Amino acid sequence: MEIYRTEKRQRYLEEYSIGNLFSFPIEEFLEVHEYKRDEWIIQEGMRPDFLFYVIEGKAKIYVTHQNGKVSLINFIKEEDFFGEMELLNPIYYTKGIQASTTMICFAIPFHRCRAKMLEDAAFLRELAKFLSVKSTQMAAKYTQSLSFPLENRLADFILQTADAEIYKEKHVTVCDFLGVSYRHLLYVLAQFCEKGYLKKEGRHYRIQQLNELEGLARVLLNE
Amino acid sequence: MEIYRTEKRQRYLEEYSIGNLFSFPIEEFLEVHEYKRDEWIIQEGMRPDFLFYVIEGKAKIYVTHQNGKVSLINFIKEEDFFGEMELLNPIYYTKGIQASTTMICFAIPFHRCRAKMLEDAAFLRELAKFLSVKSTQMAAKYTQSLSFPLENRLADFILQTADAEIYKEKHVTVCDFLGVSYRHLLYVLAQFCEKGYLKKEGRHYRIQQLNELEGLARVLLNE
DNA sequence: TCCAAAATATGAGATATCTCATATTATTGT
DNA sequence: ACAATAATATGAGATATCTCATATTTTGGA
C-alpha cells in the first residue's frame, strides 16, 4: 500500500473531485491510497479506519464461512464506496476487501470526518442511494440464485465480463462468485462449447452464438 | 385498506411517535393506513405514492420471475421502512408488498415530503443505517443459500419463527422464502422428524431437540 | 352448507450440483 | 532456471434438489 503525498496527491484531488458529494470541504481530509493487485485492503473481521471511495481499479468482497467455504459477495468498481457499513454501524462483521487490479482510492479518515459526514445531508443522500442500489442488486442476485440453474447465471456473467467476444475470467473466481463447485462450472462451460455457444481457444473462450447466451441471460431479467 | 382519521389517527400519532427520526415536524404530513391480512399494499411493478413506516404487523416482499417462479425476498416487520427505494431512485422495478397480518403503517406522501426528506440529515442517517443493515442481511442470505444445503437454512428458519417450541409456518410460504421446492421441504422436515429433532403434531411441529437444530443453524453464523 | 381453491402429503424418476481423486499445465518467487 | 504453488482439466460416484403425478385434507366464500 502506498499513500500519495504532495503533488501526486494534489493531482488526483483535482482530476477526480468528489467535492460535489459533500456539502462541506472534504478535500483537506482526503488521503489518496494505492493498493497493488491481490493486496488486502481490509482484512476480514477487522474494522477499517477509513471510508473509501474508488477512483480507479476493481476489488472483490469476500466472506469466509464456518465450513471453510469462501464466497465472493460482489465486485467493487470505480465510484463505489466501501467501509460505509463500519461508518454507520458500531457493530458489524467486516468483510474482506481485496484489490483485483491496481487500485486507487480516496480514503476518508473516520476519526476526523465521521461526525461531519453523519451530519451532511448531501453525502447521506448519496450514500443512501448507493446502499439502496446495492441492496436491490443483492436481493436480485439472491432470488436469481435460488430460481435459476447455473446455466442462466453463467450466461449472464459471461456477457457482463466478456471483452470483445472473448471470455477469460479465472474459473476459481467465478466459482466463488456464482457459488458453485469448480467441477460443475467446467461441466456447464463444456456444455456451452458442445452446443456451439462458446468455442475454446487455448485458455480463453470465444463467444460464437451471442443470441443463445442472451436468451439464457434474459430470463434472469426483471428487477 | 382503511385510512384512519381524526381521533383514531391522533391516537397513533401520539402512541408511536416517529418525530425523532426527522428534524422537521413530520406529524402533520403523516397518514395512518390499515391493511388487512393478504392485502397487497404495493403491487409489483407499480410505483407507490408514499414512504411507509411499519407500526404494527408484518408483510412480505415478493418478486415474480420470468419463468413464473415467485420469490419471497424478505419479511417486513415493525419499525421497518418500505417504499424507500422509490423515494431514492427515479427508476426502480417495484417489488410487491403483501400484508401477512393486519398491518398499520405511517404513510408519508412523496408529493408533499420528498424534498424535505431528501434534505434532512437526521432522516437520511436513519435511512442509510436501515439500508446498510438490509443490504448486509441480503448479502448474508445470498452467500448462505449458495454455501449450505436446506438442512442448515431450514433449521435456522425454524428457530427464528418457532413460538414456544411450536413451529407452524405455512410450507408454501417457506418454499418461496428459502427458494426450494415444496417436495424437498417436506423431505427435509421428514428427516428432522426421523432424527427426532422435531415431532409432528397434527399440522404443527414441536421442537424436541433444540440443541441439534441450533447446531445446524450455527454453521450459518458469521456476519 | 357446500363447493372450489388452497394447503398438505407422498411416490417415482430426472437432473443439477457436489465431493474426491488424480493429471497436466501455468505462474511466481528465489 | 527450478521448485513450489496455483490454475486447469477430467472421471466416477454420491447427494441435494426438482418435476410431475396424484390423493387427501383444510379453508374461505357464495
Side-chain angles (χ1 to χ4, degrees), chain B residues 136-165:
Chain B
T136 301
Q137 283 176 351
M138 283 311 309
K141 279 185 55 166
Y142 171 62
T143 62
Q144 286 166 6
S145 76
L146 294 177
S147 304
F148 299 96
L150 180 60
E151 183 176 50
N152 300 97
R153 295 179 292 131
L154 180 59
D156 184 59
F157 182 76
I158 290 174
L159 294 176
Q160 284 194 41
T161 55
D163 182 21
E165 309 200 341

mmCIF file of all heavy atoms in Angstrom, chain B residues 136-165:
data_model
loop_
_atom_site.group_PDB
_atom_site.id
_atom_site.type_symbol
_atom_site.label_atom_id
_atom_site.label_comp_id
_atom_site.label_asym_id
_atom_site.label_seq_id
_atom_site.Cartn_x
_atom_site.Cartn_y
_atom_site.Cartn_z
ATOM 1 N N THR B 136 -26.711 -5.808 4.161
ATOM 2 C CA THR B 136 -25.877 -6.824 4.797
ATOM 3 C C THR B 136 -26.636 -8.135 4.966
ATOM 4 O O THR B 136 -26.104 -9.214 4.718
ATOM 5 C CB THR B 136 -25.423 -6.325 6.187
ATOM 6 O OG1 THR B 136 -24.699 -5.118 6.009
ATOM 7 C CG2 THR B 136 -24.554 -7.347 6.869
ATOM 8 N N GLN B 137 -27.882 -8.022 5.372
ATOM 9 C CA GLN B 137 -28.687 -9.228 5.550
ATOM 10 C C GLN B 137 -28.886 -9.959 4.229
ATOM 11 O O GLN B 137 -28.803 -11.187 4.168
ATOM 12 C CB GLN B 137 -30.057 -8.874 6.127
ATOM 13 C CG GLN B 137 -30.025 -8.579 7.606
ATOM 14 C CD GLN B 137 -31.384 -8.139 8.127
ATOM 15 O OE1 GLN B 137 -32.305 -7.900 7.325
ATOM 16 N NE2 GLN B 137 -31.515 -8.028 9.428
ATOM 17 N N MET B 138 -29.154 -9.196 3.176
ATOM 18 C CA MET B 138 -29.348 -9.843 1.882
ATOM 19 C C MET B 138 -28.069 -10.545 1.450
ATOM 20 O O MET B 138 -28.108 -11.664 0.935
ATOM 21 C CB MET B 138 -29.752 -8.820 0.816
ATOM 22 C CG MET B 138 -31.180 -8.340 0.849
ATOM 23 S SD MET B 138 -32.436 -9.637 0.949
ATOM 24 C CE MET B 138 -31.932 -10.712 -0.377
ATOM 25 N N ALA B 139 -26.938 -9.877 1.653
ATOM 26 C CA ALA B 139 -25.661 -10.486 1.279
ATOM 27 C C ALA B 139 -25.451 -11.777 2.058
ATOM 28 O O ALA B 139 -25.019 -12.793 1.501
ATOM 29 C CB ALA B 139 -24.518 -9.512 1.533
ATOM 30 N N ALA B 140 -25.796 -11.745 3.332
ATOM 31 C CA ALA B 140 -25.642 -12.941 4.154
ATOM 32 C C ALA B 140 -26.540 -14.061 3.649
ATOM 33 O O ALA B 140 -26.106 -15.199 3.473
ATOM 34 C CB ALA B 140 -25.955 -12.618 5.613
ATOM 35 N N LYS B 141 -27.782 -13.726 3.378
ATOM 36 C CA LYS B 141 -28.707 -14.738 2.884
ATOM 37 C C LYS B 141 -28.225 -15.305 1.564
ATOM 38 O O LYS B 141 -28.333 -16.502 1.312
ATOM 39 C CB LYS B 141 -30.101 -14.124 2.670
ATOM 40 C CG LYS B 141 -30.905 -14.000 3.926
ATOM 41 C CD LYS B 141 -32.314 -13.492 3.639
ATOM 42 C CE LYS B 141 -33.048 -14.336 2.634
ATOM 43 N NZ LYS B 141 -34.498 -14.058 2.608
ATOM 44 N N TYR B 142 -27.708 -14.427 0.735
ATOM 45 C CA TYR B 142 -27.237 -14.858 -0.573
ATOM 46 C C TYR B 142 -26.111 -15.874 -0.443
ATOM 47 O O TYR B 142 -26.167 -16.968 -0.989
ATOM 48 C CB TYR B 142 -26.775 -13.651 -1.375
ATOM 49 C CG TYR B 142 -26.070 -13.991 -2.655
ATOM 50 C CD1 TYR B 142 -26.727 -14.686 -3.660
ATOM 51 C CD2 TYR B 142 -24.754 -13.625 -2.860
ATOM 52 C CE1 TYR B 142 -26.077 -15.010 -4.839
ATOM 53 C CE2 TYR B 142 -24.098 -13.944 -4.030
ATOM 54 C CZ TYR B 142 -24.766 -14.634 -5.013
ATOM 55 O OH TYR B 142 -24.114 -14.961 -6.178
ATOM 56 N N THR B 143 -25.089 -15.500 0.297
ATOM 57 C CA THR B 143 -23.948 -16.406 0.390
ATOM 58 C C THR B 143 -24.329 -17.688 1.141
ATOM 59 O O THR B 143 -23.857 -18.766 0.800
ATOM 60 C CB THR B 143 -22.743 -15.726 1.067
ATOM 61 O OG1 THR B 143 -23.088 -15.370 2.396
ATOM 62 C CG2 THR B 143 -22.322 -14.494 0.313
ATOM 63 N N GLN B 144 -25.200 -17.569 2.134
ATOM 64 C CA GLN B 144 -25.624 -18.779 2.847
ATOM 65 C C GLN B 144 -26.359 -19.729 1.912
ATOM 66 O O GLN B 144 -26.161 -20.940 1.961
ATOM 67 C CB GLN B 144 -26.540 -18.405 4.010
ATOM 68 C CG GLN B 144 -25.789 -17.782 5.157
ATOM 69 C CD GLN B 144 -26.717 -17.113 6.149
ATOM 70 O OE1 GLN B 144 -27.938 -17.215 6.022
ATOM 71 N NE2 GLN B 144 -26.150 -16.442 7.125
ATOM 72 N N SER B 145 -27.211 -19.149 1.069
ATOM 73 C CA SER B 145 -28.001 -20.019 0.199
ATOM 74 C C SER B 145 -27.103 -20.763 -0.777
ATOM 75 O O SER B 145 -27.428 -21.853 -1.219
ATOM 76 C CB SER B 145 -29.040 -19.207 -0.563
ATOM 77 O OG SER B 145 -28.429 -18.488 -1.608
ATOM 78 N N LEU B 146 -25.956 -20.151 -1.105
ATOM 79 C CA LEU B 146 -25.044 -20.806 -2.036
ATOM 80 C C LEU B 146 -24.115 -21.785 -1.327
ATOM 81 O O LEU B 146 -23.560 -22.671 -1.957
ATOM 82 C CB LEU B 146 -24.206 -19.766 -2.772
ATOM 83 C CG LEU B 146 -24.962 -18.841 -3.720
ATOM 84 C CD1 LEU B 146 -24.022 -17.824 -4.312
ATOM 85 C CD2 LEU B 146 -25.642 -19.634 -4.816
ATOM 86 N N SER B 147 -23.940 -21.607 -0.044
ATOM 87 C CA SER B 147 -22.905 -22.370 0.645
ATOM 88 C C SER B 147 -23.446 -23.501 1.507
ATOM 89 O O SER B 147 -22.678 -24.358 1.939
ATOM 90 C CB SER B 147 -22.076 -21.433 1.531
ATOM 91 O OG SER B 147 -21.534 -20.385 0.745
ATOM 92 N N PHE B 148 -24.741 -23.488 1.788
ATOM 93 C CA PHE B 148 -25.263 -24.511 2.688
ATOM 94 C C PHE B 148 -26.543 -25.124 2.150
ATOM 95 O O PHE B 148 -27.350 -24.433 1.532
ATOM 96 C CB PHE B 148 -25.544 -23.907 4.066
ATOM 97 C CG PHE B 148 -24.316 -23.351 4.715
ATOM 98 C CD1 PHE B 148 -24.023 -21.999 4.619
ATOM 99 C CD2 PHE B 148 -23.441 -24.169 5.398
ATOM 100 C CE1 PHE B 148 -22.871 -21.479 5.198
ATOM 101 C CE2 PHE B 148 -22.292 -23.665 5.973
ATOM 102 C CZ PHE B 148 -22.009 -22.315 5.877
ATOM 103 N N PRO B 149 -26.728 -26.410 2.423
ATOM 104 C CA PRO B 149 -27.962 -27.074 1.981
ATOM 105 C C PRO B 149 -29.158 -26.620 2.811
ATOM 106 O O PRO B 149 -28.996 -25.959 3.842
ATOM 107 C CB PRO B 149 -27.666 -28.550 2.219
ATOM 108 C CG PRO B 149 -26.622 -28.577 3.277
ATOM 109 C CD PRO B 149 -25.810 -27.325 3.095
ATOM 110 N N LEU B 150 -30.319 -26.999 2.342
ATOM 111 C CA LEU B 150 -31.550 -26.572 3.000
ATOM 112 C C LEU B 150 -31.555 -26.921 4.483
ATOM 113 O O LEU B 150 -32.034 -26.135 5.303
ATOM 114 C CB LEU B 150 -32.751 -27.227 2.319
ATOM 115 C CG LEU B 150 -34.101 -26.853 2.917
ATOM 116 C CD1 LEU B 150 -34.343 -25.359 2.830
ATOM 117 C CD2 LEU B 150 -35.221 -27.615 2.239
ATOM 118 N N GLU B 151 -31.049 -28.075 4.817
ATOM 119 C CA GLU B 151 -30.984 -28.533 6.197
ATOM 120 C C GLU B 151 -30.576 -27.412 7.162
ATOM 121 O O GLU B 151 -31.254 -27.135 8.155
ATOM 122 C CB GLU B 151 -29.981 -29.683 6.264
ATOM 123 C CG GLU B 151 -29.851 -30.322 7.612
ATOM 124 C CD GLU B 151 -28.905 -31.527 7.550
ATOM 125 O OE1 GLU B 151 -27.783 -31.377 7.008
ATOM 126 O OE2 GLU B 151 -29.283 -32.585 8.037
ATOM 127 N N ASN B 152 -29.475 -26.743 6.839
ATOM 128 C CA ASN B 152 -28.985 -25.690 7.726
ATOM 129 C C ASN B 152 -29.884 -24.465 7.714
ATOM 130 O O ASN B 152 -30.210 -23.904 8.762
ATOM 131 C CB ASN B 152 -27.571 -25.271 7.323
ATOM 132 C CG ASN B 152 -26.600 -26.420 7.386
ATOM 133 O OD1 ASN B 152 -26.327 -27.054 6.389
ATOM 134 N ND2 ASN B 152 -26.094 -26.719 8.555
ATOM 135 N N ARG B 153 -30.293 -24.056 6.539
ATOM 136 C CA ARG B 153 -31.094 -22.835 6.464
ATOM 137 C C ARG B 153 -32.473 -23.047 7.059
ATOM 138 O O ARG B 153 -33.037 -22.148 7.695
ATOM 139 C CB ARG B 153 -31.185 -22.385 5.004
ATOM 140 C CG ARG B 153 -29.811 -21.986 4.454
ATOM 141 C CD ARG B 153 -29.872 -21.554 3.020
ATOM 142 N NE ARG B 153 -30.193 -22.637 2.111
ATOM 143 C CZ ARG B 153 -31.125 -22.568 1.175
ATOM 144 N NH1 ARG B 153 -31.851 -21.460 1.025
ATOM 145 N NH2 ARG B 153 -31.346 -23.597 0.379
ATOM 146 N N LEU B 154 -33.002 -24.252 6.908
ATOM 147 C CA LEU B 154 -34.311 -24.537 7.499
ATOM 148 C C LEU B 154 -34.227 -24.566 9.018
ATOM 149 O O LEU B 154 -35.103 -24.035 9.709
ATOM 150 C CB LEU B 154 -34.845 -25.873 6.970
ATOM 151 C CG LEU B 154 -36.206 -26.301 7.514
ATOM 152 C CD1 LEU B 154 -37.276 -25.262 7.208
ATOM 153 C CD2 LEU B 154 -36.611 -27.662 6.950
ATOM 154 N N ALA B 155 -33.172 -25.166 9.541
ATOM 155 C CA ALA B 155 -33.006 -25.193 10.994
ATOM 156 C C ALA B 155 -33.012 -23.763 11.528
ATOM 157 O O ALA B 155 -33.707 -23.449 12.507
ATOM 158 C CB ALA B 155 -31.707 -25.903 11.365
ATOM 159 N N ASP B 156 -32.275 -22.905 10.871
ATOM 160 C CA ASP B 156 -32.215 -21.508 11.285
ATOM 161 C C ASP B 156 -33.603 -20.870 11.221
ATOM 162 O O ASP B 156 -34.040 -20.193 12.157
ATOM 163 C CB ASP B 156 -31.249 -20.754 10.366
ATOM 164 C CG ASP B 156 -31.056 -19.316 10.786
ATOM 165 O OD1 ASP B 156 -30.613 -19.098 11.930
ATOM 166 O OD2 ASP B 156 -31.372 -18.416 9.986
ATOM 167 N N PHE B 157 -34.296 -21.117 10.139
ATOM 168 C CA PHE B 157 -35.622 -20.519 9.955
ATOM 169 C C PHE B 157 -36.599 -21.014 11.020
ATOM 170 O O PHE B 157 -37.374 -20.241 11.578
ATOM 171 C CB PHE B 157 -36.139 -20.858 8.556
ATOM 172 C CG PHE B 157 -37.470 -20.261 8.245
ATOM 173 C CD1 PHE B 157 -37.578 -18.904 7.942
ATOM 174 C CD2 PHE B 157 -38.617 -21.035 8.271
ATOM 175 C CE1 PHE B 157 -38.811 -18.344 7.658
ATOM 176 C CE2 PHE B 157 -39.855 -20.474 7.987
ATOM 177 C CZ PHE B 157 -39.951 -19.129 7.681
ATOM 178 N N ILE B 158 -36.545 -22.290 11.320
ATOM 179 C CA ILE B 158 -37.428 -22.849 12.345
ATOM 180 C C ILE B 158 -37.172 -22.165 13.683
ATOM 181 O O ILE B 158 -38.101 -21.738 14.365
ATOM 182 C CB ILE B 158 -37.220 -24.374 12.474
ATOM 183 C CG1 ILE B 158 -37.765 -25.072 11.225
ATOM 184 C CG2 ILE B 158 -37.887 -24.912 13.722
ATOM 185 C CD1 ILE B 158 -37.487 -26.563 11.178
ATOM 186 N N LEU B 159 -35.908 -22.031 14.033
ATOM 187 C CA LEU B 159 -35.587 -21.410 15.321
ATOM 188 C C LEU B 159 -36.049 -19.963 15.356
ATOM 189 O O LEU B 159 -36.511 -19.471 16.390
ATOM 190 C CB LEU B 159 -34.083 -21.489 15.577
ATOM 191 C CG LEU B 159 -33.560 -22.916 15.775
ATOM 192 C CD1 LEU B 159 -32.054 -22.920 15.920
ATOM 193 C CD2 LEU B 159 -34.219 -23.561 16.982
ATOM 194 N N GLN B 160 -35.953 -19.288 14.226
ATOM 195 C CA GLN B 160 -36.328 -17.870 14.218
ATOM 196 C C GLN B 160 -37.829 -17.649 14.259
ATOM 197 O O GLN B 160 -38.288 -16.601 14.697
ATOM 198 C CB GLN B 160 -35.780 -17.193 12.963
ATOM 199 C CG GLN B 160 -34.293 -16.915 13.059
ATOM 200 C CD GLN B 160 -33.877 -15.948 11.971
ATOM 201 O OE1 GLN B 160 -34.578 -14.992 11.675
ATOM 202 N NE2 GLN B 160 -32.727 -16.203 11.376
ATOM 203 N N THR B 161 -38.589 -18.624 13.764
ATOM 204 C CA THR B 161 -40.025 -18.393 13.667
ATOM 205 C C THR B 161 -40.832 -19.211 14.668
ATOM 206 O O THR B 161 -42.020 -18.969 14.835
ATOM 207 C CB THR B 161 -40.529 -18.736 12.249
ATOM 208 O OG1 THR B 161 -40.141 -20.070 11.929
ATOM 209 C CG2 THR B 161 -39.959 -17.793 11.229
ATOM 210 N N ALA B 162 -40.204 -20.171 15.324
ATOM 211 C CA ALA B 162 -40.955 -21.015 16.257
ATOM 212 C C ALA B 162 -41.428 -20.179 17.439
ATOM 213 O O ALA B 162 -40.762 -19.244 17.868
ATOM 214 C CB ALA B 162 -40.091 -22.166 16.743
ATOM 215 N N ASP B 163 -42.584 -20.553 17.938
ATOM 216 C CA ASP B 163 -43.179 -19.827 19.051
ATOM 217 C C ASP B 163 -43.412 -20.842 20.157
ATOM 218 O O ASP B 163 -44.211 -21.771 20.004
ATOM 219 C CB ASP B 163 -44.509 -19.221 18.562
ATOM 220 C CG ASP B 163 -45.161 -18.403 19.651
ATOM 221 O OD1 ASP B 163 -44.454 -17.983 20.589
ATOM 222 O OD2 ASP B 163 -46.384 -18.197 19.566
ATOM 223 N N ALA B 164 -42.670 -20.714 21.239
ATOM 224 C CA ALA B 164 -42.796 -21.642 22.364
ATOM 225 C C ALA B 164 -42.677 -23.096 21.892
ATOM 226 O O ALA B 164 -43.566 -23.912 22.131
ATOM 227 C CB ALA B 164 -44.103 -21.417 23.110
ATOM 228 N N GLU B 165 -41.623 -23.385 21.192
ATOM 229 C CA GLU B 165 -41.310 -24.755 20.762
ATOM 230 C C GLU B 165 -42.227 -25.286 19.662
ATOM 231 O O GLU B 165 -42.107 -26.440 19.275
ATOM 232 C CB GLU B 165 -41.334 -25.735 21.921
ATOM 233 C CG GLU B 165 -40.477 -25.261 23.088
ATOM 234 C CD GLU B 165 -40.118 -26.406 23.989
ATOM 235 O OE1 GLU B 165 -40.799 -27.445 23.934
ATOM 236 O OE2 GLU B 165 -39.123 -26.272 24.733
#
